[in-house]
Amino acid sequence: MAVKLVVLYTQPDDAEAFDDHYLREHMTGVAAIPGLQRAESGRFVAAADGGELSWYRIAELWFDDEAALQSALGSEQGQATAADYGAIAPPGSRLFVVAVD
């Protein structure tokens, strides 16, 4: 069963600096993760229910299955990308593993 790693980023202190690093460096590293099938990223622009816009950006990284995800995360590139996430993610950012139905 396909899985995806969903990353939700909270609001950064400096959105321009965050986006510059994220789009130029972080996503370049993500693209090099072995076993990655597809990566999508976007910036939240509105809360359709009128609530607070608590998330700033989302990323979805698709893998064939959970074994492929675990292998990718354990790879050198996966570990480097995880370290970069730790360096740039604003407090409260989250990572989820989602089984795709």
Side-chain angles (χ1 to χ4, degrees):
M1 172 184 304
V3 298
K4 60 183 177 177
L5 180 65
V6 175
V7 186
L8 295 173
Y9 294 93
T10 56
Q11 301 289 335
D13 290 334
D14 183 340
E16 186 175 329
F18 178 86
D19 281 345
D20 184 58
H21 178 88
Y22 180 82
L23 295 170
R24 292 177 189 259
E25 296 182 39
H26 188 74
M27 288 306 288
T28 299
V30 165
I33 294 174
L36 178 69
Q37 295 299 311
R38 179 171 88 220
E40 298 177 357
S41 179
R43 189 173 46 82
F44 291 99
V45 295
D49 63 2
E52 180 183 349
L53 192 59
S54 53
W55 302 108
Y56 177 70
R57 185 171 280 284
I58 185 172
E60 295 179 274
L61 311 181
W62 294 72
F63 297 88
D64 284 338
D65 53 31
E66 189 152 355
L69 168 63
Q70 294 306 321
S71 179
L73 294 177
S75 71
E76 185 177 328
Q77 187 59 43
Q79 291 178 9
T81 303
D84 192 54
Y85 165 83
I88 67 167
S93 297
R94 303 285 310 272
L95 296 123
F96 298 93
V97 176
V98 177
V100 179
D101 294 331

